[in-house]
Amino acid sequence: MKMSWRRVTTGAAAAALGLGLLTGCGSNDDSGASGSAESTSAAASGGDITVFAAASLKGTFTELGEMFETANPGSHVEFSFAGSSDLAAQLDQGASADVFASADTNNMKKVVDAGLVAGTPVNFATNTLTIVTAPGNPKGITSFADLNREGTLVVTCAPQVPCGSATQKVETASGVDLTPVSEESSVTDVLNKVTAGQADAGLVYVTDAAGAGDKVTAVPFPEAAQAVNTYPIAALSASKQPEAAQGFLDLVTGPEGQAVLAKAGFAQP
């Protein structure tokens, strides 16, 4: 979709596809935890940057991109939203970007291990799973175990995708092994299957369910607490606009970015 001020791409668009990565990202690193949109304007003004971000961040990061451009006249932010594993694979195959925001630490670790990150990634949000159904919950699903009822069509994320990895953790914690009719490459694809009536239920993040509004009914379940995903963000070493990249990172991890994320339902790391 082409816009006058940026291009937002969804899905795995560029190079090849691959897998995932990070264990201990620093959560309070001074390089990523300070600024507001205003405080980054001098350093970032005029920088055009590309941000690779997890599909579940589309709504919040689009809003933050607008804030960044307003505060930094002449700057442009281009987003590529997809499953974190797809984005990590694209970066490993040489795709050009300035910032990477993953929906889990494992996929960030792969990018770090490939030597593609400048500095230390910063954890900026957490997210948990919920069940979504058609409006009104016509199947009467009230628990995670109900997803295994005969005749219930369930969709999940693929195991290599952060929401799929979280689903596997919930299965282990609950002792319930799901038999999904499809495994999708991003959490938004799962949501779309449910809203399109192609599935009775799906497992998505609470933020995706909230963003869908009355298109779905959300069914929380206690086992989700066993699979909280932590989101790290990092500037990339190949960036041609390192100051602008750091400026966007500072916005995400600073007070204004955290407020936007909290409004969408993300929790702090």
Side-chain angles (χ1 to χ4, degrees):
M1 178 169 65
K2 186 77 176 178
M3 301 181 185
S4 59
W5 47 273
R6 76 178 59 170
R7 180 163 54 87
V8 177
T9 56
T10 57
L17 301 183
L19 304 159
L21 54 106
L22 171 61
T23 43
C25 310
S27 60
N28 293 308
D29 185 69
D30 289 342
S31 65
S34 57
S36 67
E38 289 81 1
S39 67
T40 62
S41 61
S45 182
D48 295 352
I49 58 172
T50 298
V51 177
F52 276 25
S56 52
L57 294 167
K58 183 177 180 180
T60 52
F61 269 37
T62 299
E63 182 176 348
L64 290 173
E66 293 173 354
M67 293 170 60
F68 183 82
E69 292 181 343
T70 298
N72 299 283
S75 294
H76 298 275
V77 184
E78 178 179 308
F79 289 107
S80 181
F81 296 106
S84 298
S85 58
D86 288 350
L87 296 173
Q90 291 176 30
L91 291 171
D92 189 53
Q93 293 292 324
S96 177
D98 301 278
V99 176
F100 176 45
S102 174
D104 69 345
T105 55
N106 288 334
N107 282 293
M108 179 63 78
K109 184 177 186 299
K110 185 170 287 186
V111 177
V112 170
D113 290 347
L116 303 177
V117 167
T120 303
V122 181
N123 296 334
F124 67 93
T126 61
N127 216 345
T128 53
L129 293 176
T130 191
I131 299 165
V132 288
T133 72
N137 191 8
K139 289 283 187 176
I141 293 168
T142 61
S143 68
F144 187 77
D146 285 347
L147 296 177
N148 262 356
R149 284 180 183 168
E150 186 176 354
T152 301
L153 303 180
V154 178
V155 289
T156 66
C157 290
Q160 70 269 22
V161 183
C163 56
S165 176
T167 298
Q168 290 185 321
K169 291 177 183 177
V170 172
E171 289 178 293
T172 299
S174 65
V176 176
D177 294 323
L178 300 181
T179 54
V181 293
S182 69
E183 295 180 331
E184 304 298 322
S185 62
S186 75
V187 68
T188 52
D189 290 338
V190 174
L191 184 65
N192 290 340
K193 288 276 189 181
V194 176
T195 57
Q198 298 175 23
D200 299 315
L203 285 164
V204 303
Y205 295 121
V206 294
T207 54
D208 296 286
D214 59 8
K215 294 180 181 178
V216 298
T217 291
V219 182
F221 57 98
E223 296 92 342
Q226 303 299 315
V228 178
N229 274 22
T230 298
Y231 286 56
I233 188 171
L236 298 174
S237 56
S239 173
K240 295 180 174 61
Q241 297 287 348
E243 291 182 345
Q246 185 62 47
F248 184 80
L249 192 153
D250 289 344
L251 173 60
V252 171
T253 59
E256 290 178 302
Q258 290 297 295
V260 169
L261 289 159
K263 182 176 65 176
F266 288 94
Q268 292 188 337

